[in-house]
Amino acid sequence: MGSEGRWELQLAGGWQLRRDKLPVKVALRQRRLIAALALYGRQSRSFLAGLLWPDSSETQAAGSLRESIFLINKHLPGLLGQTADPLDLASGVIVDVHEVRARAARLQEHPVHHRGVLDLVQNAELLPGWYEDWVVSEQERWQRLRLTVLERLSRQYLDQGDTEQAMEAARAATVIEPLRESAQRLLMQACLAEGNHAEALRLYQSFRIRLRREFGVAPSAIISDLIEPLLMDDARSQRHFG
């Protein structure tokens, strides 16, 4: 990118734009356009205007978009691509969510390539504090990706006998979605693999109570069968000491 510098855009965990590793201040309206291009890729001006200014008239939205493009090109040279319509970020811009998605795809194809992925996804909410409809939709899609990656990592760590990392990945998934049974099951499996039966039983009882309170249902047979030996041992112990 020559004198224009190297651009890096962070959307996960909070907005941050850097040029040559140094943070750059960006006004909110321009942030929204940059984020939309990062998440949606190359798009027409009419699409972006309607997305970002849904309550404005077509003419007003188009004018707001033109102003944002002008300001970005003036203050952030080299961030946008060369085409006027459709718009896109320049090809050399590094976007963190793109990196995570690429590594998640490699993780599925080549399970051994998991180094560093856990750190990338476990505490990485997409644009926290942004509540526009188009952002919320992308946040939900991002959350599903994070859950998929965390569960895949947990299973891979379990297969490799790394119970500590398996537990960390599964626990991160349960923080995102506490009533997601597949994540809870992986967390219990990690506890069992580590020999921590008391914690596995505690997790099951807590999950069972919350599931009943929230939805009026019991855990599935799969998760109940996993914990049943512990429940039987616990019942026998209570009878013995009772």
Side-chain angles (χ1 to χ4, degrees):
M1 295 180 65
S3 61
E4 292 167 351
R6 177 184 174 90
W7 292 104
E8 297 174 81
L9 177 61
Q10 173 189 316
L11 302 180
W15 164 278
Q16 181 68 75
L17 181 67
R18 297 181 181 87
R19 178 166 51 191
D20 294 332
K21 303 296 183 181
L22 298 176
V24 178
K25 289 185 178 180
V26 183
L28 179 59
R29 181 172 285 192
Q30 284 73 66
R31 286 188 183 195
R32 293 166 68 246
L33 175 55
I34 294 166
L37 290 172
L39 293 171
Y40 286 86
R42 182 186 296 261
Q43 295 293 336
S44 68
R45 286 188 177 228
S46 59
F47 172 85
L48 292 165
L51 181 77
L52 298 174
W53 292 276
D55 299 325
S56 299
S57 69
E58 241 181 78
T59 302
Q60 289 172 327
S64 296
L65 179 61
R66 281 195 303 273
E67 181 184 6
S68 289
I69 295 168
F70 171 79
L71 291 171
I72 291 172
N73 284 329
K74 178 180 180 181
H75 298 296
L76 310 170
L79 184 64
L80 298 183
Q82 296 299 312
T83 59
D85 193 6
L87 290 172
D88 199 358
L89 295 179
S91 60
V93 178
I94 298 170
V95 183
D96 61 345
V97 296
H98 298 175
E99 172 68 10
V100 171
R101 286 171 180 158
R103 295 189 69 171
R106 291 197 297 271
L107 184 68
Q108 185 173 9
E109 297 168 4
H110 307 287
V112 295
H113 294 164
H114 54 63
R115 188 178 302 277
V117 179
L118 179 57
D119 291 336
L120 287 174
V121 298
Q122 62 180 336
N123 296 309
E125 291 183 39
L126 181 67
L127 294 172
W130 292 41
Y131 302 110
E132 294 170 85
D133 288 345
W134 67 272
V135 178
V136 171
S137 176
E138 289 300 305
Q139 288 169 337
E140 291 170 352
R141 190 161 74 98
W142 177 252
Q143 180 168 293
R144 289 194 296 272
L145 173 66
R146 291 174 65 205
L147 286 166
T148 298
V149 170
L150 288 166
E151 290 186 352
R152 187 174 293 143
L153 283 170
S154 184
R155 283 191 292 270
Q156 290 179 10
Y157 282 126
L158 275 173
D159 290 342
Q160 296 166 13
D162 190 341
T163 57
E164 184 177 346
Q165 290 288 88
M167 196 175 301
E168 185 175 353
R171 196 177 297 279
T174 65
V175 169
I176 297 172
E177 191 62 68
L179 295 179
R180 186 177 171 98
E181 185 167 296
S182 53
Q184 291 284 352
R185 185 172 68 249
L186 282 165
L187 184 54
M188 293 175 208
Q189 287 175 325
C191 288
L192 291 172
E194 195 176 50
N196 193 343
H197 294 181
E199 178 64 8
L201 185 58
R202 186 197 68 77
L203 288 167
Y204 173 79
Q205 297 288 20
S206 176
F207 177 62
R208 181 182 61 81
I209 291 168
R210 188 165 183 178
L211 203 60
R212 174 70 65 181
R213 184 173 62 243
E214 296 285 339
F215 299 116
V217 299
S220 71
I222 297 175
I223 200 168
S224 296
D225 290 347
L226 179 70
I227 300 297
E228 185 176 8
L230 301 185
L231 293 171
M232 294 174 64
D233 289 345
D234 188 55
R236 281 195 295 267
S237 177
Q238 290 185 25
R239 286 197 300 269
H240 177 75
F241 290 104

